[in-house]
């Protein structure tokens, strides 16, 4: 690529609204441009790195036996009603209507769509296991889009989904994905850690996140200095032991409500208003009653709020239409969910409760409001959910002994770049996705899902690889491997010829090459500064004086002195 033909968009000044280094450098080097809050255009420079991340992810997914598909970004609401997430997902879900007033959303993730595909395409155990992935644009209406593409509203994700007949098969693919992720982040040249994680609104029981360690990370990672143990501190808040208040949710109380099956029941039994109940709701669902062993039946249940909404937002007088558990609102009831324009009233709430850890049930609680101000609540039960081992990390400090029994704890900040989940039957049960087993009996599919924030990875790589002068790309994802600065290009024929020859030879050898062929109005100093800002790992300066000695000057972006290298040896030197 020649600078004179390239949409070069470097800037000297650090943009005022960019607080983290990667955001500043992506803007200054001309990788991205902002369109609106959380919406960015990838410029030619940025796109080159993004595509390289995608290519590595694609290669490793293919190597691990996954098959690529491409699903629509816009998804019909019906599927989200089936899974129960039309309510549960909350304000992050961008809902829209088509010209026929049918509800759609812009996909923040694709469990519903892929489960729909699976139930239509898979009929026999012989087709299993299967793992399908895509690299595609997601939209999440984040409460606080920030840090550029690190937490944007529109972003690119690699999401894979696997289907299985048995838990063992799911575990195998999960382990394979864990290995594939490890290879991906190694190839990307990043310092990363896999950590035990909470499953958030995606659901499921077992899950690991992959974190790139960086001070600007939004998560606290606790890990042992003597073993592989590592966990996201968020996990401890989400999985606090039954009977204790998670620190994150002040409104929480724990109450035993006997046989109540609806919010109104609970209110009656406790002799309180509905507002009170929502603050202190306790679920003792049918599944617990069926499966709990003696002595466990009276165990209280913890319900706590996830997301940014407060249960306090629900006002007692606005709660006429609370539905009973396991019952979903009809289509008319749910129109307009997602926030009533101009209203200060309640919006979607979602919460998860762990029903008696020993009975190992998990449930999602959701509650929403429609245009008429009516509210609905319901529960999605996951009967066989196996809850992960929980270590209470809420008040740990660096230097404490570690939960795994080895070494002491270190706490570092991490950027979540990947997340793998064992979903079990959460979606396949709700959406009735089954195949016939060896005996011709219909079995509900087991499922796993595996995400990588492809666009976030680009920013995370910069967080880990930069200095005062700009980005320092790992070779694997550098937009250009080599930058050539020809001195006096427009007056020296020797420099012109040598530059052209080297440009061709390097490309022939497989390098992505950038030649700064701007005329003398752009000083060498500016060219050097731009190349450093853009993070090009290898720089070659071609000058008359060097050529007279048969040499070019070579310098690595990562540091070290400039060296003179023979013109005919430079390509091999870079290989
Ligand atoms: P976070 O905790 O950062 O909000 P998440 O847990 O909500 O992320 P997942 O649902 O696990 O995200 O999605 C898979 C991956 O997509 C994440 O690991 C992350 O790398 C990426 N991702 C999620 N939200 C965003 C976003 N707003 N902008 C860019 N990448 C994102
Ligand atoms: Mg999120
Ligand atoms: Mg997360
Ligand atoms: Mg996640």
């Amino acid at each position: 690529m020649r600078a004179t033909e390239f949409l070069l968009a470097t800037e000297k000044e650090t943009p005022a609204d960019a607080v983290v280094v990667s955001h500043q450098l992506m803007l200054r080097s001309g990788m991205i441009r902002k369109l609106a809050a959380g919406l960015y255009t990838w410029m030619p420079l940025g796109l080159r790195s993004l595509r390289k991340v995608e290519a590595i992810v694609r290669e490793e997914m293919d190597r691990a036996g996954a098959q690529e598909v491409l699903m629509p970004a816009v998804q019909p609401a019906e599927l989200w009603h089936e899974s129960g997430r039309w309510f549960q997902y909350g304000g992050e879900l961008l809902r829209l209507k088509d010209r026929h007033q049918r509800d759609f959303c812009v996909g923040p993730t694709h469990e519903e769509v892929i489960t729909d595909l699976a139930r239509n395409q898979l009929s026999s155990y012989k087709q299993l296991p299967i793992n399908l992935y895509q690299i595609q644009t997601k939209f999440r209406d984040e409460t606080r889009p920030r840090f550029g593409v690190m937490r944007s509203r529109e972003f690119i994700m690699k999401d894979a989904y696997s289907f299985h007949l048995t838990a063992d098969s799911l575990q195998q693919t999960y382990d394979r994905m864990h290995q594939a992720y490890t290879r991906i982040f190694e190839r990307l040249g990043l310092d990363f850690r896999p950590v035990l994680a909470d499953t958030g609104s995606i659901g499921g029981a077992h899950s690991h996140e992959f974190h790139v360690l960086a001070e600007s990370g939004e998560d606290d990672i606790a890990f042992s200095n003597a073993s592989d143990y590592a966990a996201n501190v968020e996990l401890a808040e989400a999985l606090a032991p039954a009977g204790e208040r998670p620190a994150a949710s002040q409104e929480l109380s724990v109450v035993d409500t006997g046989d109540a099956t609806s919010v109104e029941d609970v209110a009656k039994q406790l002799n309180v208003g509905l507002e009170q109940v929502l603050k202190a709701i306790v679920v003792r669902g049918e599944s617990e009653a069926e499966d709990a062993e003696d002595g466990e039946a009276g165990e209280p249940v913890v319900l706590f709020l996830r997301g940014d909404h407060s249960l306090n937002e629900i006002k007692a007088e606005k709660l006429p239409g609370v539905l009973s558990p396991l019952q979903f609102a009809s289509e008319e009831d749910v129109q307009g969910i997602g926030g009533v324009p101009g209203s200060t009233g309640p919006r979607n709430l979602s919460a998860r409760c762990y029903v008696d850890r020993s009975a190992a049930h998990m449930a999602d609680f959701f509650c929403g409001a429609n245009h008429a101000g009516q509210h609905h609540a319901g529960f999605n039960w996951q009967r066989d959910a196996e809850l992960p081992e929980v270590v209470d990390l809420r008040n740990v400090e660096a230097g404490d002994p570690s939960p795994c029994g080895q070494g002491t704890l270190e706490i570092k900040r991490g950027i979540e770049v990947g997340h793998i989940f064992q979903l079990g039957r959460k979606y396949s049960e709700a959406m009735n996705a089954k195949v016939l087993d060896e005996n011709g009996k219909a079995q509900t599919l087991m499922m796993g899902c595996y995400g990588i924030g492809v666009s976030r990875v680009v920013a995370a790589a910069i967080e880990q690889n930069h200095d005062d002068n700009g980005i320092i790309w790992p070779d694997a994802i550098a937009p250009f491997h080599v930058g050539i600065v020809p001195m006096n290009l427009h007056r020296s024929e020797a420099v012109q010829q040598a530059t052209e020859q080297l440009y061709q030879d390097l490309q022939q050898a497989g390098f992505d090459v950038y030649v700064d062929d701007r005329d003398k109005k752009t000083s060498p100093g500016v060219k050097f500064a731009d190349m450093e800002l853009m993070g090009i790992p290898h720089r070659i300066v071609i000058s008359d004086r060097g050529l007279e000695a048969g040499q070019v000057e070579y310098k690595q972006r990562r540091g070290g002195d400039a060296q003179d290298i023979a013109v005919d040896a430079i390509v091999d030197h870079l290989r």
Side-chain angles (χ1 to χ4, degrees):
M1 182 59 65
R2 298 168 208 276
T4 50
E5 294 168 3
F6 189 63
L7 181 53
L8 191 68
T10 51
E11 278 173 5
K12 264 213 187 107
E13 302 302 320
T14 300
D17 59 340
V19 287
V20 297
V21 162
S22 59
H23 189 195
Q24 293 171 353
L25 291 177
M26 288 181 86
L27 288 168
R28 281 190 55 208
S29 65
M31 290 178 67
I32 54 168
R33 283 293 176 262
K34 180 173 168 178
L35 175 66
L39 302 177
Y40 290 87
T41 296
W42 287 82
M43 301 280 278
L45 185 73
L47 192 62
R48 295 179 77 96
S49 289
L50 184 75
R51 291 283 184 251
K52 288 186 179 185
V53 175
E54 278 182 19
I56 290 173
V57 168
R58 189 172 272 121
E59 271 174 39
E60 294 301 333
M61 292 308 289
D62 291 344
R63 186 202 299 273
Q67 297 173 58
E68 188 166 358
V69 294
L70 184 58
M71 293 179 263
V74 174
Q75 310 180 9
E78 285 78 9
L79 294 180
W80 287 70
H81 287 307
E82 281 191 61
S83 71
R85 284 206 295 183
W86 187 256
F87 284 121
Q88 195 220 341
Y89 215 92
E92 267 185 35
L93 188 66
L94 180 66
R95 295 149 167 103
L96 45 105
K97 284 184 193 296
D98 70 4
R99 62 170 72 205
H100 307 292
Q101 301 304 305
R102 290 190 201 108
D103 285 310
F104 290 85
C105 64
V106 185
T109 176
H110 278 67
E111 283 78 15
E112 282 80 359
V113 176
I114 199 87
T115 306
D116 182 60
L117 187 78
R119 70 182 167 188
N120 294 326
Q121 296 305 310
L122 304 176
S123 55
S124 158
Y125 73 97
K126 289 183 190 152
Q127 294 166 288
L128 303 177
I130 192 165
N131 192 359
L132 301 170
Y133 78 97
Q134 64 176 346
I135 297 178
Q136 192 246 17
T137 298
K138 304 278 185 263
F139 192 95
R140 296 183 182 181
D141 203 352
E142 299 274 354
T143 343
R144 275 183 300 279
R146 55 185 184 157
F147 306 159
V149 297
M150 194 105 88
R151 181 169 301 284
S152 46
R153 295 196 295 170
E154 190 175 300
F155 60 97
I156 297 183
M157 198 201 285
K158 183 285 297 177
D159 44 331
Y161 306 87
S162 68
F163 294 94
H164 311 265
L165 195 63
T166 64
D168 282 352
S169 168
L170 170 58
Q171 183 68 46
Q172 271 170 26
T173 297
Y174 185 84
D175 292 343
R176 215 166 161 191
M177 283 295 106
H178 197 292
Q179 286 157 18
Y181 276 40
T182 301
R183 284 185 63 101
I184 288 168
F185 295 118
E186 274 171 9
R187 283 185 62 183
L188 291 170
L190 300 175
D191 181 13
F192 70 96
R193 297 280 184 288
V195 312
L196 292 166
D198 176 33
T199 54
S201 60
I202 306 281
H206 293 281
S207 135
H208 284 86
E209 286 165 356
F210 286 74
H211 279 261
V212 162
L213 301 180
E215 269 312 305
S216 58
E218 293 182 273
D219 290 0
D220 278 322
I221 306 302
F223 57 96
S224 160
N225 63 0
S227 79
D228 285 345
Y229 179 84
N232 191 332
V233 172
E234 183 184 86
L235 170 75
E237 287 171 5
L239 296 181
E244 276 185 35
R245 266 173 188 236
S249 176
Q250 297 311 317
E251 303 92 343
L252 180 82
S253 335
V254 181
V255 187
D256 187 343
T257 57
D259 299 327
T261 53
S262 74
V263 176
E264 279 145 334
D265 265 2
V266 176
K268 255 187 231 144
Q269 290 197 17
L270 299 177
N271 201 19
V272 291
L274 282 169
E275 182 192 2
Q276 228 66 42
V277 177
L278 279 171
K279 280 187 190 174
I281 190 164
V282 168
V283 185
R284 294 185 71 236
E286 303 139 78
S287 50
E288 188 193 10
E290 266 169 35
D291 304 345
E293 298 191 352
D294 281 353
E296 285 174 351
E299 289 268 306
V301 167
V302 183
L303 175 101
F304 56 92
L305 184 67
R306 299 185 59 83
D308 299 294
H309 303 286
S310 158
L311 285 174
N312 281 327
E313 285 179 289
I314 297 276
K315 295 282 177 286
E317 67 274 12
K318 287 193 176 171
L319 280 168
V322 177
L323 304 181
S324 59
L326 300 173
Q327 205 183 320
F328 297 110
S330 72
E331 210 177 313
E332 294 86 46
D333 283 339
V334 296
Q335 280 182 12
I337 291 291
V340 184
S343 144
T344 52
R347 286 181 289 160
N348 275 351
L349 295 172
S350 72
R352 261 195 315 167
C353 45
Y354 291 88
V355 179
D356 179 351
R357 298 193 54 79
S358 55
H361 291 301
M362 209 190 285
D364 292 319
F365 163 83
F366 58 84
C367 178
N370 66 10
H371 278 315
Q374 287 174 318
H375 292 76
H376 309 286
F379 305 91
N380 292 327
W381 288 95
Q382 220 185 319
R383 281 161 189 271
D384 310 314
E386 231 184 88
L387 297 182
E389 283 281 308
V390 179
V391 180
D392 193 343
L393 295 171
R394 281 167 296 164
N395 301 311
V396 294
E397 284 175 17
D400 285 352
S402 74
C404 60
Q406 292 175 50
T408 54
L409 272 185
E410 284 181 45
I411 297 189
K412 291 198 176 164
R413 305 290 285 174
I415 301 168
E416 181 191 327
V417 287
H419 199 164
I420 58 178
F421 306 74
Q422 291 190 26
L423 297 168
R425 300 195 177 88
K426 181 182 157 90
Y427 295 91
S428 44
E429 195 163 273
M431 297 179 63
N432 200 25
K434 293 183 172 164
V435 294
L436 297 180
D437 67 11
E438 283 167 325
N439 306 316
K441 196 169 163 252
Q443 301 279 2
T444 304
L445 288 165
M446 298 287 282
M447 184 172 168
C449 78
Y450 319 93
I452 290 184
V454 174
S455 41
R456 181 181 284 183
V457 163
V458 176
I462 297 172
E463 288 295 326
Q464 270 189 356
N465 298 280
H466 66 267
D467 63 13
D468 289 346
N469 299 329
I471 303 167
I472 308 175
W473 285 113
D475 277 52
I477 50 175
F480 299 102
H481 301 113
V482 190
I484 302 177
V485 183
M487 308 294 262
N488 214 8
L489 177 71
H490 300 274
R491 267 185 287 161
S492 163
E493 215 163 287
V495 169
Q496 262 173 45
Q497 271 176 17
T499 300
E500 193 55 32
Q501 188 63 46
L502 188 58
Y503 183 46
Q504 301 302 339
D505 290 350
L506 284 167
Q507 291 187 97
Q508 200 72 42
F511 294 103
D512 290 330
V513 190
Y514 172 81
V515 183
D516 201 333
D517 60 347
R518 285 178 287 178
D519 65 21
K520 67 173 193 285
K521 275 181 261 153
T522 309
S523 71
V526 169
K527 295 180 180 179
F528 292 153
D530 274 355
M531 254 179 215
E532 295 206 324
L533 180 59
M534 294 195 293
I536 302 177
H538 308 279
R539 186 185 81 188
I540 295 169
V541 180
I542 302 181
S543 65
D544 277 318
R545 215 174 43 170
L547 290 176
E548 277 161 27
Q551 289 173 334
V552 292
E553 184 202 274
Y554 167 74
K555 192 172 184 306
Q556 279 195 37
R557 174 67 180 87
R558 215 164 260 287
D561 295 332
Q563 322 165 234
D564 290 326
I565 292 182
V567 177
D568 23 347
I570 186 71
V571 176
D572 278 338
H573 184 80
L574 285 169
R575 261 199 259 258

